Amino acid sequence: MAAPLIETCYVACCANRTPNVLSWGRSGLIAFGTCNSVAVYDPQEIVIVTVLNGHKGRVNAVQWVHRNDSGPETELVSGGSDNRLIVWKAQDGRFSQSAQCCGHSGPVSAVDSIHLDPEGTTGLLIASAASDSTVKVWVNRDNDVDCIQTISFGSGFMMDVSLTLLPGSRVPILACGGDDARVYLYVQQDGKFVKVHSLHGHEDWVRGVEWVTWDGDILLASCAQDCLIRIWKVFAKEEHVGDVQDVDAIKLTEDVFEVKKNGSSIRFAVTLETVLAGHENWVYGVHWQPPSGGSVALLSASMDKTMILWGPEEASGVWLEQVRVGEVGGNTLGFYGCQMSPDGSMIMAHAFHGALHLWHRDPDNEREWSPGVVISGHFSSVQDLSWDPDGEFVLSVGSDQTTRLFTPWRRKERAKVTWHEVSRPQIHGYDMQCLATVGRFQFVSGADEKVLRVFRAPRNFVENFSHITGASLDKLLASSDAANLPEGASTPALGLSNKAVFQGDLVPQNQEEEEGFNSVSDQYSESYFHPLTLTEPPPEDHLLQNTLWPEVQKLYGHGFEMFCLASDGRRTVVASACKASKAEHAAILLWSACSWRQLQALPLHSLTVTQLSFSPDSRFLLAVSRDRTWSLWRRRDAAPVEQSEEPAFSLHAHTTKSTSVHTRIIWSCDWSGDSRFFVTSSRDKKVIVWGECGSTEGVEENSPVAVAPCSSVLDVGDSATSISVCPVLCPDHSYLVAVGLENGKILFYKWRHLKDLSSGDDWTKCAETDDSQSHALTVRRLRWRPRAGRAGQESGGEPCGWVQLASAGADHAIKVFAVNRLAL
């Protein structure tokens, strides 16, 4: 079998901000909606197995179709803001679209499905609720879908739906929970669902409903914004009960309804089994433990940041709280939904900011639960990313106002390396826009504000990074100025700047308890940071509170929101640009990476500079702009680099509207690894290589030179929003270029420098990402790893054929691909 060209090493993503978006299958796989995609996640291996792209809007509801024999599911139903449902079918581990259900006129908010027959061969019965105030019932047979019924609720909305079969008969029963605080029950009679009862009791919107079959009866759990959970029981009524009845016996009221099946009728009764009070805020999700043995358990998730596991006491049958887990602190809201693993040993919640929270049960003590390692990611568009100079970790910024750091986790007992978020250096109050790494453990970031902020890693991060990645701590401390590193950082209650926390600022917790509080300011201390010793990636609440990096500098000078950043390889200069609609604001500012003072302003462009890039040898700075031109700035070689004189740049070459080949905004640019050529990509679908830039001999200090295209014009078929040239050459000495498109695809081309460009043979398309590897929305940024090989894996001194590419998408995802340059 041929070696694969592109492997997906890592996908960083998180769950959408909707209640019904996550489902845990009997196979052990978790499916959840992330932006417009469905991610299939393996919690044991801690990796995304595959990503299903098909929806054109946000995915709001995901549900595995459970089999009657409790075997691994092969079907999955998802509903989205594109008003559609998609049925996915798995064959040999690969998912494909089996059918689409189109008919709702509003976003789909909840789905559920059951098999029509015991064997699960004849098709599916699907129920979906949407914001068009209807619940639709669908039958899916052999890739065909028919909407058999639409139940309208006037001006009301149904928040959740659940399907099951009545005990003793294969008659489907549908429960719908709505914004009128009622739960409606519908039973299928003669092919149509008929309303048989509405359950009263909740005092606010019903947020979740779910059926379970237990002990010959069926139980329905409903949760609501009144902070309560109600459990209802539906059971078959005995026809002939003795005439003798105890008049004084207290009985729960029973609501009886009849179901006709094959000419005979069966009577069923509905009673309230119990009311569970324990949450202090809206309860968003309830989930039954998959039935096993004689036990039954119910899991609930609430906006009070807790999950509770409920179960009946063996002796009395009274339902009690057995376990409560949750998160403390942080600036988060609560949980949107919960799920439980098939064997009941793990529970998971997804939170307001999309984070997944996992707890493992202690095998020796059933009441003891501990947090587990999960994947995480941005919950909004990822705007920019960058590798560190050694290619060991990736830093990213996003519109979710966070900066995150991802790195491979090396475990002794496992050969396979998995990637994880190990730090969240910046949690901001503005949407993040750009970043540039300056050395190993320092970066500059820009957001939708006029200020640039410089961050430096604290000692606690460097130590934990060493533990998790297996890197030598001495080498890491040598690469950062270890003498005066703070321990960590914390953000003041009303501030945006991360303040450094030094060793002397840390108060031992037992000392706090002994001394008591002398004043209010002692009670509410300024530092929320507590140093951690981590041997595995931290959970969400630690990421929020204990992994911040201290801010060491603010850079003022721009008049509008920041747009792009770049730093040179010598770690001496940082270049920045902001949004601009006039030439006076479009100047590029240069900053010293040592003193952080402003060195120079480079005015030329008339509109926003969209990307900046220093050549690998640090002699040139390239800028591309919304005005459809690029400019090339040369470092003046008046003084040797070793001397401490500040570098200065002058204009070397530029295009005008008449000489620029591009006819639309130039989105992106990058340099070849040898600094001879640079490449630009634009909304006009064109990719062009320019050069050569190697020689500056004989060129006068301030006289611009002409730099012409040295490639044929490559049409990539869609707006080219990002481009990156691999620093490692292909075996045939051609350049490997990755192009990210507006439709989410990433294309890989080889380019060779030829004298004759008329034939167009200088470009060779060698690969592209498939549907599951591609982003669902625009590719925002592509970055090749600075050196060959895979991060976190030693190459053993042999020349490595693999190179890694990191990509950031508007679909909230960060992906790391390994590309086999020997097989291209």
Side-chain angles (χ1 to χ4, degrees), residues 1 162 176 190 196 318 329 332 364 370 388 407 517 533 542 566 568 612 640 666:
M1 187 179 149
S162 184
C176 308
D190 303 324
V196 291
V318 175
T332 60
D364 305 323
S370 56
D388 77 294
T407 193
F517 302 118
T533 304
H542 284 320
D568 70 338
L612 296 160
I666 305 177

Side-chain angles (χ1 to χ4, degrees), residues 294-610:
S295 65
V296 66
L298 179 70
L299 187 65
S300 62
S302 165
M303 271 289 153
D304 64 6
K305 300 191 196 180
T306 64
M307 273 201 300
I308 299 178
L309 190 61
W310 310 85
E313 204 178 36
E314 276 187 28
S316 64
V318 175
W319 284 76
L320 297 173
E321 175 185 319
Q322 295 177 343
V323 176
R324 184 188 289 250
V325 296
E327 60 165 358
V328 180
N331 59 350
T332 60
L333 287 160
F335 296 144
Y336 261 137
C338 53
Q339 291 283 297
M340 184 180 259
S341 65
D343 61 356
S345 65
M346 290 186 280
I347 54 178
M348 178 175 274
H350 59 100
F352 182 80
H353 286 322
L356 303 178
H357 297 259
L358 179 76
W359 283 270
H360 294 272
R361 186 176 63 207
D362 190 323
D364 305 323
N365 181 0
E366 292 214 343
R367 293 293 175 96
E368 201 66 41
W369 294 74
S370 56
V373 178
V374 283
I375 58 152
S376 61
H378 290 276
F379 58 88
S380 190
S381 172
V382 188
Q383 296 298 98
D384 199 0
L385 55 73
S386 179
W387 291 86
D388 77 294
D390 288 4
E392 291 304 320
F393 61 83
V394 169
L395 271 166
S396 65
V397 293
S399 301
D400 60 357
Q401 308 185 344
T402 64
T403 303
R404 301 174 188 239
L405 189 148
F406 302 91
T407 193
W409 177 27
R410 292 173 67 177
R411 288 171 278 179
K412 291 189 178 73
E413 69 277 8
R414 294 203 181 193
K416 193 174 180 184
V417 169
T418 54
W419 283 71
H420 299 274
E421 182 183 353
V422 297
S423 177
R424 204 165 292 170
Q426 184 183 9
I427 299 171
H428 205 35
Y430 294 96
D431 290 5
M432 302 300 301
Q433 193 64 40
C434 51
L435 93 158
T437 50
V438 184
R440 189 86 197 268
F441 292 122
Q442 188 168 248
F443 72 89
V444 188
S445 71
D448 281 344
E449 57 174 345
K450 302 171 187 178
V451 189
L452 289 165
R453 297 170 189 265
V454 186
F455 294 86
R456 205 154 137 229
R459 179 184 289 273
N460 188 241
F461 166 77
V462 179
E463 290 168 353
N464 289 329
F465 183 80
S466 163
H467 298 154
I468 291 167
T469 60
S472 159
L473 181 59
D474 296 334
K475 280 186 184 173
L476 292 176
L477 289 171
S479 69
S480 57
D481 184 11
N484 52 4
L485 280 183
E487 279 298 309
S490 68
T491 307
L494 298 173
L496 283 176
S497 302
N498 296 353
K499 283 178 62 178
V501 177
F502 289 91
Q503 188 69 45
D505 302 334
L506 296 170
V507 183
Q509 286 177 326
N510 54 3
Q511 188 181 325
E512 280 179 16
E513 288 160 14
E514 285 169 21
E515 291 178 4
F517 302 118
N518 298 326
S519 67
V520 174
S521 60
D522 290 347
Q523 188 173 349
Y524 299 102
S525 64
E526 192 74 342
S527 171
Y528 304 106
F529 166 77
H530 293 289
L532 303 170
T533 304
L534 298 172
T535 54
E536 61 180 28
E540 179 73 8
D541 38 0
H542 284 320
L543 283 170
L544 285 167
Q545 212 157 289
N546 297 320
T547 65
L548 292 168
W549 289 17
E551 187 181 302
V552 294
Q553 198 72 40
K554 289 186 186 69
L555 310 180
Y556 298 92
H558 287 289
F560 287 94
E561 295 92 341
M562 300 311 309
F563 200 79
C564 59
L565 272 169
S567 66
D568 70 338
R570 295 173 182 170
R571 306 176 193 178
T572 55
V573 193
V574 172
S576 63
C578 70
K579 292 179 183 174
S581 55
K582 293 180 185 168
E584 61 195 270
H585 301 127
I588 301 159
L589 297 188
L590 299 183
W591 312 85
S592 163
C594 309
S595 63
W596 294 115
R597 68 184 188 85
Q598 189 180 320
L599 300 176
Q600 218 178 337
L602 307 178
L604 179 75
H605 292 285
S606 57
L607 294 171
T608 308
V609 172
T610 51

Side-chain angles (χ1 to χ4, degrees), residues 10 37 102 137 172 187 199 277 294 410 437 452 505 583 606 631 713 740:
Y10 176 53
S37 310
C102 303
V137 183
V187 172
L199 306 175
R410 292 173 67 177
T437 50
L452 289 165
D505 302 334
S606 57
S631 60
V713 175

Side-chain angles (χ1 to χ4, degrees), residues 611-683:
Q611 195 176 349
L612 296 160
S613 182
F614 282 94
S615 60
D617 63 7
S618 302
R619 288 170 59 208
F620 293 102
L621 168 63
L622 173 65
V624 293
S625 167
R626 193 157 69 91
D627 63 14
R628 309 173 186 177
T629 66
W630 56 257
S631 60
L632 188 62
W633 305 82
R634 182 176 76 248
R635 185 193 287 254
R636 294 192 198 129
D637 292 325
V641 179
E642 289 75 25
Q643 293 184 16
S644 60
E645 286 193 31
E646 307 288 12
F649 282 76
S650 59
L651 186 63
H652 179 69
H654 69 100
T655 53
T656 61
K657 286 192 177 165
S658 57
T659 58
S660 174
V661 187
H662 292 294
T663 56
R664 304 293 298 276
I665 178 174
I666 305 177
W667 275 123
S668 187
C669 61
D670 199 18
W671 286 89
S672 62
D674 53 15
S675 302
R676 286 173 59 199
F677 306 101
F678 63 87
V679 58
T680 57
S681 71
S682 162
R683 184 181 276 163

Side-chain angles (χ1 to χ4, degrees), residues 18-38:
T18 53
N20 305 304
V21 80
L22 187 135
S23 179
W24 201 326
R26 306 272 196 271
S27 61
L29 295 178
I30 296 170
F32 63 89
T34 173
C35 194
N36 297 357
S37 310
V38 178

Side-chain angles (χ1 to χ4, degrees), residues 6-13 34 36-40 48-55 88-89 93-97 743-746 748 768-777 779 807 811 813-817:
I6 308 166
E7 282 183 15
T8 307
C9 305
Y10 176 53
V11 180
C13 58
T34 173
N36 297 357
S37 310
V38 178
V40 181
I48 297 284
V49 179
T50 187
V51 177
L52 312 178
N53 292 325
H55 284 283
W88 306 88
K89 209 172 178 70
R94 292 183 70 85
F95 286 84
S96 60
Q97 282 192 37
N743 63 17
K745 274 203 179 313
I746 301 169
F748 295 88
E768 69 175 62
T769 51
D770 62 30
D771 283 346
S772 68
Q773 292 172 324
S774 300
H775 288 276
L777 295 172
V779 180
S807 71
D811 61 348
I814 292 170
K815 302 191 180 194
V816 179
F817 301 103

